[in-house]
Structure formats: structure tokens, C-alpha cells
Amino acid sequence: MFKSILENIVNSCSGGVGAVLMGYDGIAIDQYVVEGAELDLNLVAIEYSNVTKEIRNAAEVLETGELLEVAIKTELFFVIVYALTDEYFVALTINRDGNYGQGRYLLMRDAGSLREALT
């Protein structure tokens, strides 16, 4: 069930490369990567999960509210990390020439379906 939701997000996003559903512990639940993509999405998600954990902890210490989303912009990709629960997040990777705003919208749109599937 997760893979079909992730696939729909990636294929609906202009420039979408892949999406992964992952726990903050660094363990991937499921992922979808477009065919021919030269990116180890699982490794990307593991590394960014550590960073996201630290940002989440900082938000708690600063009492600024729960972490909802983190955006990472590199030379080649946008990575949008979207918090689903206290334990899980989804990360969408988009080519730099892709549609970042569309990716954010798709994650927000399908977050409820992913949360429901996690229960």
C-alpha cells in the first residue's frame, strides 16, 4: 500500500526522482524510485533522518512547536522531508529543474493516506 502512494506522489511531481517512507530511527518502511535514477534514495534518507532528528530536537528545546517540514536544496536536487507522526516521515527527492511547489503540495495532499496506512 505504501509503495503505490509513494509512486503516485513521485509520478505526479514534475521532476520527481523518488520518495521514501522512513522512521526517525533510519529504517525505511518503503520507497519508490523512478527507473534509471542514479541515486541511492535509502542512503539519502538515512543521512537526512539524522539531520531531521536534530532539527526536531532543536524545535522542542526552543519551544517553537512540532517540526512539520524540512527542505534541502543541493546543486542537483530538492529534498522535502515531511513529518507524518512522531516516529515517521516521508522524503521526496526532486530534480532541480522539477517543480518544488508541486512536490510540497503532493506531500501535504497524501500525508493523511500515509498516516492512515501506518495505523
Side-chain angles (χ1 to χ4, degrees):
M1 169 168 242
F2 298 121
K3 188 174 286 293
S4 65
I5 298 170
L6 298 173
E7 181 177 359
N8 185 46
I9 292 170
V10 173
N11 290 334
S12 297
C13 182
S14 175
V17 175
V20 60
L21 174 64
M22 179 167 267
Y24 286 103
D25 59 2
I27 298 173
I29 305 302
D30 210 344
Q31 69 177 9
Y32 173 79
V33 181
V34 295
E35 192 171 319
E38 296 183 17
L39 178 69
D40 185 346
L41 189 61
N42 199 39
L43 182 58
V44 168
I46 289 169
E47 293 300 327
Y48 285 148
S49 73
N50 292 326
V51 173
T52 304
K53 245 190 301 192
E54 291 300 318
I55 295 170
R56 191 172 76 162
N57 291 341
E60 286 179 21
V61 168
L62 297 171
E63 298 179 359
T64 57
E66 286 187 44
L67 176 68
L68 302 177
E69 179 180 298
V70 175
I72 300 158
K73 180 179 176 182
T74 68
E75 186 178 342
L76 301 176
F77 301 103
F78 294 112
V79 179
I80 306 166
V81 178
Y82 194 85
L84 296 171
T85 69
D86 288 342
E87 297 177 35
Y88 300 101
F89 66 89
V90 60
L92 173 64
T93 301
I94 306 166
N95 285 317
R96 279 294 305 275
D97 62 350
N99 192 329
Y100 170 81
Q102 184 181 40
R104 286 188 70 223
Y105 166 76
L106 293 166
L107 288 174
M108 286 186 280
R109 181 193 72 183
D110 291 343
S113 298
L114 288 167
R115 283 187 199 105
E116 186 177 309
L118 283 166
T119 57

